[in-house]
Amino acid sequence: MYLELQKRFTEHLRSVLAAKYDLHLETIPLEIPPELKFGELATPIAFELARKLRKAPKVIAAEIVAALGHFDGFAGFEVAGAGYINAHLDRAAGVRTTAGVADSQVPDAGPGAPASSGIHALVEHTSINPNKAAHIGHLRNAILGDTFVRLLRAAGQKVDVQNYIDNTGVQVADVVVGFLHLEGKSLADARLLLDELKQKDQRIDYYCWDLYAKTSQWYTSGTDEENEARKKLRYDTLHELEQGCNETAEVAELISTAVLRRHLETMLRLDIEYDFLPRESEILHLKFWESAFEQLKKTGVLYFENEGKNKGCWVMTRPGAEIAEGDLNEDAKVIVRSNGTVTYVGKDIAYHLWKFGLLGKDFGYKPFFSYPNHECWISAEKGDEPHPHFGGAQAIYNVIDARQSDPQANVIQALRGMGYTEQADRYTHFSYEMVALTPRCAVELGYDVSEEDLARPYIEVSGRKGFGVKADDLIDKLIVATRAEVDARQTGGADAEAGRQKIAEQIAIGALRYFMLKFTRNSVIAFDFKDALSFEGETGPYIQYAVVRARNIFRKAETTAEAELVKLAGLAEFGAFLDGEDAEDIWALWLRAARRTLVLEQCVSTSEPAYLAKHAFQLAQEFNNFYHKHHILTEEDPARKTFLLATAAVALRELVLALSWLGIESPEAM
RNA sequence: GCGCCCGUAGCUCAGCUGGAUAGAGCGACUGGCUACGAACCAGUAGGUCGGGAGUUCGACUCUCUCCGGGCGCACCA
């Protein structure tokens, strides 16, 4: 409702300015006034025009207000302060629109839907190296990505979710080295180990977590001579993995696939699902690079360097670099090494051409992991038929941490250089800062923390060092904590034993997801159990609790939210309930509820889910406030009771919807 | 050396394309449960928005500079 009125106000204002001053402004600054007494919508446009029109802002504002007249949805306009133009909404009309059934549905491609609807988007997130357990840093990635997917879908976009699997990289090679050479095991042993872990209900990703840390340490723990040999072993192993069709690669395939399954299971606990898992092995074996290389040479993005330190390499100019014609660019990015092998960025360019459907090649597809409602596919050299098709998206979003912004910029630069400017413009590096541990948390976990690290505000998590909090451990810990709370409160009555575990899980996941989403993307999260295990204040459970409170009202009143909204529509007159000191907080709640579409559009256009997290919290806060002040069930005036019930109904509807966009369930009881 | 990010209340963070008196949560202190269950609510204290200069009618927001912290800048992935 709010977004719609905002647009109408802007349009009307624009036409007034055109008629009155012959001014044609592209954008008109709007703001939400600091207090409700100033109205619900305001513009400081008069300040801007003061110089141009050689008049005082107050005079201009008054002239504009006079010209605005009256139109639907607005109660009136006024000049305030030094020249603000404040718009007061027609509250009763606003309530009617907001309560309306049409507005309660997820905005689809229709009137009022965001401009971005109808786009085919591709979101890549999670992308954990399949050589160890997922940790809290990966959780931030996956939760941000999954939430953004939900937001895009809510905005009417068709979204494919991809999780890129680097199954032939050094990280997997390291675990294989550890397995074959450090532990002296074989391919047959790998099969045995997987069976054994399965039978004992143990986690292969946990096993690899330790092995990876051990191997990483092993590379540098011998004599210089030994270390040299170990390093060689490492690169030989890596090449065997890239090559494929050998026993080492088979071990890698076995272990990495098992770890990958574990990652999918971990993410499923958080309600995170994927459509497709493209793997690096297929990008290599299906020779994606060869096709990309031709295009890159043809368009002149890549050139062969004949001199300097990059002699013998195919290189590209870095973004922003200004090199005079004919000058040697030593700073160029190497894409093909002098030995003919391609670098990571090169492979990434090929992969991204595929994402936009510009490569002229496709993966093979095989089903890999079944969700209740759909199948997740994985890349294969020779796929199954029939299969869905992925790639060929109009817009892509890569959820990758901020440290990789340079390589990401290189890929975008390459696309632009090849003439794919539209695609480059719709390529979003959805970057976010890392999750680190507070020194206190690290000590608590029993890690050796140096004096130097103790003095820091936070310490970076490192899979290589085995330093971090594993995702499943954290989830387990959260569930234990929420279960204790649920039991202490006897949620659902003394005999509701069965349901309590489910509720505890819903609350635990809600707490975790909200915790990862409340921070804006570019702030480093210094992880601490105290904060993450908190269920009070600005947390997921706080919002879930507001939902439960609202539901309890309808349960006790023996009615439903939907029925009460219909009843409100039948009420001839309720404007009186929206006026006066006592009603301000009620109107504030309606107004907040009406801002949903605006918030959604903001989140999508800025790639920032945190705004929705904040919106949901504020909505819950205003509802709790309302809940406390106005006792609904004892209200004697039937019309007012209907109005109050409808208010709770809208709050409930909006809270549940906002939580669902955040990937958080709304429990029936708490 | 070059590039990016951050610095706002004791702590953790919001602050939309510059706009009205800089907000929230936690922590501290005070008060409120025989209410629609207190995972809640009300109140108090707490800020030279890292320092300085500039642009502007107006700067937490833009520019420059300095200080402090973090992360990138491979023929590694």
Side-chain angles (χ1 to χ4, degrees):
Chain A
M1 179 277 272
Y2 192 82
L3 181 64
E4 190 59 30
L5 288 176
Q6 220 180 44
K7 282 180 180 161
R8 289 186 44 216
F9 178 65
T10 309
E11 271 170 42
H12 189 51
L13 196 58
R14 198 176 277 135
S15 65
V16 163
L17 292 175
K20 197 160 173 58
Y21 306 113
D22 196 32
L23 284 170
H24 303 276
L25 300 180
E26 291 234 344
T27 54
I28 291 181
L30 289 183
E31 63 167 302
I32 296 171
E35 278 184 72
L36 268 181
K37 66 175 179 188
F38 296 125
E40 292 80 15
L41 189 55
T43 176
I45 187 76
F47 296 108
E48 222 172 276
L49 300 179
R51 172 174 291 180
K52 213 178 274 179
L53 301 175
R54 298 176 169 282
K55 284 183 197 170
K58 240 178 170 161
V59 175
I60 298 170
E63 287 175 358
I64 294 174
V65 164
L68 278 168
H70 285 280
F71 67 109
D72 266 3
F74 292 85
F77 308 95
E78 65 177 15
V79 182
Y84 289 94
I85 297 168
N86 292 338
H88 293 264
L89 302 188
D90 177 342
R91 294 186 175 187
V95 163
R96 264 187 213 284
T97 316
T98 306
V101 180
D103 204 51
S104 74
Q105 281 158 7
V106 174
D108 209 339
S116 61
S117 64
I119 289 176
H120 176 199
L122 194 161
V123 176
E124 173 178 309
H125 66 78
T126 308
S127 306
I128 310 168
N129 275 299
N131 75 324
K132 61 178 174 298
H135 59 62
I136 44 174
H138 303 124
L139 282 180
R140 187 178 195 184
N141 182 307
I143 291 170
L144 274 172
D146 178 68
T147 303
F148 195 61
V149 167
R150 291 166 192 265
L151 290 168
L152 289 177
R153 286 181 177 154
Q157 300 199 21
K158 176 188 181 301
V159 186
D160 288 334
V161 186
Q162 287 188 189
N163 176 0
Y164 175 76
I165 310 299
D166 184 3
N167 59 339
T168 54
V170 271
Q171 293 215 22
V172 169
D174 285 344
V175 168
V176 172
V177 166
F179 192 78
L180 294 179
H181 302 283
L182 217 64
E183 300 193 328
K185 290 182 175 159
S186 66
L187 176 60
D189 292 331
R191 293 206 177 95
L192 277 175
L193 174 75
L194 290 174
D195 282 345
E196 201 181 301
L197 288 174
K198 203 176 201 174
Q199 271 164 26
K200 287 197 254 171
D201 207 21
Q202 285 179 355
R203 295 162 167 172
I204 178 69
D205 55 335
Y206 277 40
Y207 179 91
C208 289
W209 175 278
D210 295 329
L211 183 56
Y212 178 46
K214 208 165 82 182
T215 311
S216 298
Q217 212 178 8
W218 181 68
Y219 288 134
T220 54
S221 62
T223 64
D224 286 355
E225 209 173 319
E226 282 169 339
N227 291 346
E228 201 56 41
R230 290 169 189 179
K231 209 179 232 171
K232 184 175 181 308
L233 194 58
R234 186 187 199 195
Y235 287 106
D236 288 348
T237 305
L238 176 62
H239 291 139
E240 284 181 275
L241 298 199
E242 287 176 347
Q243 204 65 44
C245 302
N246 55 66
E247 215 170 290
T248 307
E250 233 175 295
V251 171
E253 164 84 16
L254 218 52
I255 294 177
S256 67
T257 303
V259 172
L260 169 59
R261 280 192 192 278
R262 280 268 42 253
H263 290 164
L264 297 189
E265 287 162 6
T266 301
M267 294 310 170
L268 191 52
R269 298 179 83 183
L270 303 171
D271 252 340
I272 299 174
E273 302 182 357
Y274 310 89
D275 299 314
F276 180 47
L277 313 170
R279 295 187 294 185
E280 190 182 55
S281 51
E282 274 70 53
I283 290 178
L284 293 175
H285 300 151
L286 294 172
K287 305 198 185 304
F288 274 27
W289 167 246
E290 276 74 354
S291 304
F293 195 24
E294 287 311 311
Q295 286 195 51
L296 285 163
K297 282 192 283 195
K298 207 184 300 169
T299 49
V301 172
L302 284 192
Y303 62 94
F304 191 76
E305 186 58 86
N306 285 304
E307 49 191 323
K309 68 168 187 160
N310 294 332
K311 185 175 174 181
C313 298
W314 286 88
V315 301
M316 66 173 270
T317 308
R318 288 177 196 271
E322 281 175 33
I323 309 295
E325 193 68 29
D327 273 12
L328 180 64
N329 179 10
E330 293 248 86
D331 184 47
K333 174 72 195 165
V334 172
I335 301 298
V336 181
R337 305 183 187 99
S338 53
N339 67 5
T341 58
V342 58
T343 61
Y344 170 75
V345 172
K347 283 179 267 188
D348 222 22
I349 292 170
Y351 174 41
H352 282 88
L353 284 170
W354 172 82
K355 280 190 181 178
F356 281 115
L358 301 169
L359 187 69
K361 275 192 176 178
D362 198 4
F363 291 102
Y365 299 91
K366 277 186 175 169
F368 182 73
F369 194 91
S370 292
Y371 296 112
N373 296 318
H374 73 111
E375 187 71 27
C376 175
W377 295 71
I378 196 162
S379 63
E381 275 192 69
K382 287 190 188 123
D384 292 357
E385 296 291 343
H387 62 77
H389 177 69
F390 297 100
Q394 293 168 282
I396 68 163
Y397 297 88
N398 291 342
V399 183
I400 303 177
D401 78 86
R403 286 170 292 193
Q404 299 215 45
S405 62
D406 273 6
Q408 285 289 300
N410 283 329
V411 177
I412 296 173
Q413 167 84 350
L415 288 176
R416 205 175 290 284
M418 294 167 87
Y420 299 129
T421 48
E422 238 172 82
Q423 286 81 357
D425 289 341
R426 287 198 162 171
Y427 182 128
T428 304
H429 174 201
F430 188 109
S431 88
Y432 64 95
E433 274 295 345
M434 62 180 166
V435 181
L437 301 187
T438 61
R440 196 185 68 180
C441 180
V443 171
E444 214 174 283
L445 285 165
Y447 292 110
D448 278 333
V449 183
S450 68
E451 284 292 319
E452 192 189 356
D453 279 346
L454 275 176
R456 292 173 189 269
Y458 51 80
I459 314 169
E460 188 178 349
V461 166
S462 164
R464 196 169 294 279
K465 292 176 188 155
F467 175 74
V469 177
K470 297 188 199 77
D472 282 305
D473 286 350
L474 176 59
I475 298 169
D476 292 343
K477 206 164 173 168
L478 275 161
I479 292 174
V480 168
T482 47
R483 182 62 206 260
E485 285 286 322
V486 165
D487 285 344
R489 286 156 211 272
Q490 301 225 324
T491 297
D495 54 348
E497 180 66 25
R500 283 195 197 148
Q501 185 62 18
K502 185 184 174 209
I503 290 170
E505 286 169 14
Q506 289 177 323
I507 297 169
I509 301 310
L512 178 55
R513 289 192 64 125
Y514 193 89
F515 178 78
M516 290 295 179
L517 293 167
K518 68 193 276 194
F519 303 94
T520 49
R521 287 185 289 117
N522 54 8
S523 93
V524 177
I525 298 180
F527 181 87
D528 201 309
F529 283 106
K530 183 174 76 65
D531 298 330
L533 290 172
S534 160
F535 310 130
E536 288 167 14
E538 198 182 344
T539 65
Y542 175 95
I543 305 169
Q544 291 173 314
Y545 187 62
V547 169
V548 168
R549 281 179 138 183
R551 283 188 172 150
N552 285 343
I553 295 172
F554 292 100
R555 190 171 296 133
K556 294 239 166 151
E558 295 182 332
T559 178
T560 65
E562 295 72 24
E564 291 306 315
L565 285 172
V566 171
K567 260 171 92 177
L568 179 80
L571 230 50
E573 174 62 37
F574 51 76
F577 305 137
L578 286 160
D579 275 329
E581 279 299 302
D582 202 39
E584 289 303 285
D585 57 311
I586 299 181
W587 171 235
L589 182 53
W590 280 93
L591 194 60
R592 176 85 56 195
R595 282 210 267 264
R596 178 226 304 155
T597 321
L598 176 71
V599 172
L600 174 63
E601 197 175 69
Q602 238 166 35
C603 290
V604 168
S605 65
T606 58
S607 303
E608 183 52 89
Y611 297 143
L612 178 64
K614 186 66 95 184
H615 172 76
F617 171 66
Q618 287 171 332
L619 198 58
Q621 207 173 29
E622 269 160 2
F623 173 75
N624 274 330
N625 192 296
F626 160 80
Y627 177 92
H628 190 258
K629 266 197 202 162
H630 308 279
H631 199 262
I632 299 174
L633 297 184
T634 54
E635 174 59 48
E636 285 175 3
D637 175 355
R640 182 170 164 82
K641 186 168 179 179
T642 296
F643 175 71
L644 293 178
L645 277 166
T647 304
V650 161
L652 174 60
R653 184 190 74 197
E654 293 300 322
L655 284 168
V656 170
L657 185 59
L659 283 176
S660 77
W661 287 354
L662 295 169
I664 298 173
E665 289 187 85
S666 299
E668 286 300 322
M670 278 177 80

